[in-house]
């Protein structure tokens, strides 16, 4: 009998931001296959007796290759198990959920997406800012700040350089100097507000506020532990007094080398 694989979004970290459906599936699954962005607080909700397979990290901090993850999911599904494939944020936003779904379809394994709150939403809410705001922004774009295999960042900089659109930059910590320079090169104002949020919605959250021209240097002076998300745009200045920036501790560990 064939099982089923649920591609589940775990949200940005706070267990209260899991959907009810995700929680039910986690508690009923035969096996949980989880990646490195799933917070320990969420993993604590998995019943102790449930089998767990960690695919986000292996010895030396190298992620398990995607084709190996696909094989694990197919084999578990083919053996009749209900599999909770748990990913940080939303499985369909920079989460490679689409690739896993394609492989499962090709192997004839039933699967289903269970959406999660993406990091940009979690980080913005934790900082008390909206991602769009009437009169300030007309849109929002989710952008990757990292390319597979450290390939060049060949983004469409001209189209991204719109101060009326909020940019939520994922995986951008290592490339923020280039990203900000490219955007300013296309006319984005140097003083455009930027908010960097590390480990958003977890007890370890840190926030850093700067400008487009200054954010890379600020980050170099105040390293933030991964994962870090950047919100670039006028909305980043709307942070309410109740959510004042949390200045990173001087002793913050350096960005984990293996995380973008
Ligand atoms: C591979 S992407 C996964 C995105 C995920 N699927 C989502 O929807 O949030 C990893 C990037 O997401 C962002 N990210 C994920 N969780 C985060 C968190 N709790 N705080 C800050 N950034 C986060 C960071 O930019 C990180 O480099």
């Amino acid at each position: 009998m064939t099982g089923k694989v649920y591609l589940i979004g775990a949200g940005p970290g706070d267990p209260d931001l899991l959907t009810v459906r995700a929680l039910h599936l986690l508690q009923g699954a035969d096996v949980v296959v989880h990646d490195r962005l799933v917070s320990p607080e969420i993993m604590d909700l998995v019943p102790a007796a449930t089998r767990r397979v960690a695919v986000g990290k292996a010895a030396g901090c190298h992620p398990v290759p995607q084709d190996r993850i696909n094989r694990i999911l197919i084999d578990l599904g083919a053996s009749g198990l209900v599999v909770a494939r748990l990913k940080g944020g939303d499985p369909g936003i920079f989460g490679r959920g689409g690739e896993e779904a394609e492989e499962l379809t090709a192997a004839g394994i039933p699967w289903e997406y269970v959406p999660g709150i993406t990091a940009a939403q979690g980080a913005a809410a934790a900082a008390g800012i909206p991602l769009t705001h009437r009169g300030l922004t007309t849109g929002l774009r989710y952008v990757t700040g990292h390319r597979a295999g450290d390939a060049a960042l060949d983004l469409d900089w001209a189209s991204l350089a719109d101060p009326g659109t909020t940019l939520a930059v994922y995986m951008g910590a290592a490339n923020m100097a280039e990203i900000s320079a490219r955007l300013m090169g296309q006319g984005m104002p140097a003083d455009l507000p930027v908010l960097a949020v590390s480990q958003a919605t977890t007890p370890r959250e840190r926030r850093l506020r700067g400008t487009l021209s200054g954010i890379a240097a600020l980050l170099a002076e105040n390293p933030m532990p991964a994962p870090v998300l950047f919100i670039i745009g006028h909305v980043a200045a709307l942070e309410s007094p109740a959510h004042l920036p949390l200045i990173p501790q001087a002793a913050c560990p350096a960005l984990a080398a293996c995380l973008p």
Side-chain angles (χ1 to χ4, degrees):
M1 198 181 71
T2 307
K4 184 164 179 175
V5 177
Y6 292 90
L7 301 169
I8 303 174
D14 180 352
D16 282 356
L17 296 178
L18 264 184
T19 65
V20 175
R21 178 153 172 71
L23 181 61
H24 286 164
L25 288 166
L26 275 188
Q27 292 179 334
D30 296 312
V31 52
V32 175
V33 180
H34 59 99
D35 79 6
R36 66 190 176 201
L37 282 180
V38 178
S39 69
E41 291 83 2
I42 286 178
M43 289 308 295
D44 284 347
L45 299 173
V46 178
T50 303
R51 184 176 157 202
R52 298 154 194 239
V53 181
V55 294
K57 246 183 217 173
C61 216
H62 297 300
V64 176
Q66 188 62 46
D67 55 356
R68 175 84 190 113
I69 297 175
N70 297 342
R71 191 70 252 162
I72 290 169
L73 295 176
I74 290 168
D75 289 348
L76 290 170
S79 61
L81 298 175
V82 174
V83 182
R85 168 64 174 119
L86 195 55
K87 291 168 166 287
D90 182 273
I93 298 179
F94 303 128
R96 305 190 77 167
E99 293 165 51
E100 292 174 13
E102 280 177 351
E103 293 295 326
L104 289 164
T105 300
I109 309 293
W111 62 270
E112 190 179 317
Y113 279 131
V114 179
I117 291 181
T118 192
Q121 293 171 299
I129 65 170
L131 285 169
T132 67
H133 194 67
R134 196 152 60 119
L136 277 185
T137 52
T138 53
L140 164 67
R141 287 181 72 172
Y142 295 156
V143 182
T144 177
H146 173 84
R147 280 290 162 99
D150 290 329
L153 262 185
D154 55 345
L155 304 181
D156 182 351
W157 299 105
S159 90
L160 289 174
D162 168 17
T165 297
T166 304
L167 300 180
V169 181
Y170 291 69
M171 299 172 279
N175 293 327
M176 199 29 74
E178 179 182 358
I179 292 167
S180 49
R182 296 277 205 151
L183 291 172
M184 287 187 291
Q186 293 292 333
M188 285 277 252
D191 62 353
L192 196 65
V194 179
L195 182 68
V197 189
S198 159
Q199 304 187 84
T201 82
T202 75
R204 302 164 291 285
E205 178 175 306
R206 291 285 179 272
R207 294 194 293 274
L208 193 58
R209 203 164 152 186
T211 60
L212 195 54
S213 61
I215 191 67
L218 204 56
L219 201 62
E221 286 158 20
N222 301 280
M224 301 176 95
V228 181
L229 180 113
F230 297 87
I231 297 173
I232 302 176
H234 293 296
V235 292
L238 296 180
E239 207 170 17
S240 70
H243 297 83
L244 287 174
L246 304 176
I247 304 302
Q249 299 153 359
C252 247
L255 290 169
C258 63
L259 290 175

